Amino acid sequence: MAPAIAIGVALAARQPASALVWGLGCGLGHGLVRSDFGFASGYRRLLERRDPGPFFAQLLLAALLVIAMALVLAVEPLTGLRPKLLATPLSLPFLAGAFLFGIGMERARGCGCGTLAAASKGGGGVVAALIGLVVGAFLGTLHAPQLAALGLPRLPSPSGLELFGLAGSVALQLALIALIAVLLWRWSGQLPWRGESRGPYGGAVAVAVLATGLLLVTAEPWRVLWGLALSGAHTAQALGWDPQTSLFWSSPRGQVQLAGWDAWLFNDAVLVDLGLLYGAVATAIGQGRFRWRGERPQALPELARRGFGGLLMGYGGLLASGCNVNAFLGGVMSFSLHGWIWLAVALLGFAASLRLRPAPGTAAQPD
């Protein structure tokens, strides 16, 4: 706790909002480790065991964030806060990226935020997946603008706000979430709250509260992959890479992002990622559960598999404008159809990876 407070005070001396972002990131890491909430583990249980319990918790999180965004938009005339609403166009790179992300989740046994939180377990597999995420996200920034310049067909993602207004959009999203829950109940025979543990629901509520805090402080939905991509770009530049060779990083926006290490440290997405990583590891240390070498030794093929999974997640996520947090939840809470499409395609990728290589030892773990 003391180091986190000291870092927060140091950040506040330069930029008070950054201290808030850091604290919220630490809270997310703490909450994810303390609860059983996870994305990839929920998909695994849904597809392998026909157990929708953890996925019900994800739907609860989506519903809470939809309500939170609606409240923020409703009081905008009083607060002046206009949050950024996400509406990613539907294109072949978007669909391919979501599919690759799904494969990567299964291979790495975690999603973007889940890999950061899994650092609480230690071990080479988590390190390999995290390195893969950073490298893949950075490579995605190099190739995404080139793919966009090809002029491939793309459709604007329908926005509920434009079609139905705020009240109609909220009702539509909540109705869709309820419909998915009912379909899962009929398919599995399991009602929400009747699974093995209620921990994921508490985790969903905690994540919703902290993600809403980030929305209020940063005026945009929580992001994970962008902080990793920016970290990769700064590292590559320190190793001699020339940003002028990149269409994105040579642009005015890209140059601002690479203008010294302050531009990296005080970036909101980076601070959230660092806070999440710190909060997860500190929580595990406080519980006496952290092990540098992990829970068990991991052979080279396992390390390679998880590293490759991280690479696919980072690269695919940049093509698809995000991961479970930014693309799925960010899209749903922005009342954009692309969030649901991303989830469907990512689940297809996850299922395809399971079918190609059934994973041994599929006991659910928080991701």
Side-chain angles (χ1 to χ4, degrees):
M1 178 67 73
I5 294 175
I7 293 173
V9 170
L11 291 170
R14 287 279 305 273
Q15 198 167 305
S18 295
L20 292 175
V21 173
W22 162 260
L24 290 166
C26 291
L28 285 166
H30 176 77
L32 289 172
V33 171
R34 287 294 300 270
S35 73
D36 295 324
F37 182 84
F39 289 100
S41 58
Y43 301 150
R44 190 178 295 277
R45 286 175 61 165
L46 177 68
L47 296 172
E48 286 191 336
R49 298 188 188 182
R50 209 179 178 112
D51 175 9
F55 193 75
F56 282 140
Q58 295 182 32
L59 293 177
L60 172 63
L61 173 57
L64 292 174
L65 290 178
V66 165
I67 295 171
M69 179 65 86
L71 293 175
V72 171
L73 291 175
V75 299
E76 178 194 347
L78 300 177
T79 63
L81 176 64
R82 177 65 180 178
K84 179 181 179 181
L85 297 174
L86 309 179
T88 301
L90 307 178
S91 64
L92 182 59
F94 169 81
L95 297 174
F99 190 80
L100 289 175
F101 190 94
I103 295 175
M105 267 195 298
E106 193 282 322
R107 297 281 158 163
R109 298 192 69 87
C111 61
C113 65
T115 299
L116 291 168
S120 61
K121 302 174 184 177
V126 173
V127 174
L130 185 55
I131 292 174
L133 265 169
V134 172
V135 173
F138 170 60
L139 292 176
T141 65
L142 302 182
H143 297 157
Q146 297 175 348
L147 291 173
L150 293 177
L152 298 172
R154 49 193 284 154
L155 299 173
S157 177
S159 169
L161 285 177
E162 296 176 358
L163 297 173
F164 309 107
L166 181 58
S169 298
V170 174
L172 180 62
Q173 291 289 56
L174 295 181
L176 181 56
I177 290 170
L179 175 62
I180 295 172
V182 169
L183 292 175
L184 286 174
W185 161 52
R186 297 298 299 271
W187 173 66
S188 67
Q190 178 179 317
L191 285 167
W193 302 96
R194 293 294 180 89
E196 300 173 5
S197 168
R198 296 187 180 184
Y201 297 97
V205 173
V207 170
V209 171
L210 293 164
T212 300
L214 286 173
L215 178 66
L216 295 174
V217 174
T218 66
E220 63 181 359
W222 172 23
R223 295 187 293 175
V224 174
L225 287 185
W226 176 244
L228 300 175
L230 186 57
S231 299
H234 274 270
T235 303
Q237 184 174 235
L239 294 175
W241 165 70
D242 182 6
Q244 296 303 314
T245 61
S246 163
L247 186 63
F248 171 76
W249 294 109
S250 63
S251 68
R253 179 190 171 196
Q255 290 176 0
V256 169
Q257 300 281 352
L258 292 177
W261 285 100
D262 277 5
W264 172 77
L265 180 60
F266 288 92
N267 181 275
D268 290 336
V270 170
L271 276 174
V272 175
D273 289 348
L274 292 176
L276 198 161
L277 185 65
Y278 175 89
V281 173
T283 299
I285 292 175
Q287 295 175 336
R289 296 193 295 110
F290 180 75
R291 300 290 183 273
W292 283 107
R293 295 185 178 182
E295 298 171 348
R296 59 180 176 81
Q298 294 177 325
L300 185 59
E302 170 74 2
L303 297 178
R305 180 177 68 82
R306 297 187 69 172
F308 182 64
L311 185 73
L312 289 181
M313 278 197 294
Y315 189 79
L318 256 291
L319 297 186
S321 298
C323 59
N324 294 281
V325 166
N326 194 238
F328 167 42
L329 294 176
V332 169
M333 68 189 290
S334 298
F335 314 105
S336 173
L337 183 62
H338 86 267
W340 293 112
I341 293 176
W342 185 96
L343 176 63
V345 177
L347 281 174
L348 285 175
F350 197 100
S353 184
L354 280 174
R355 190 149 180 102
L356 288 172
R357 187 201 51 79
T362 55
Q365 304 173 22
D367 288 326

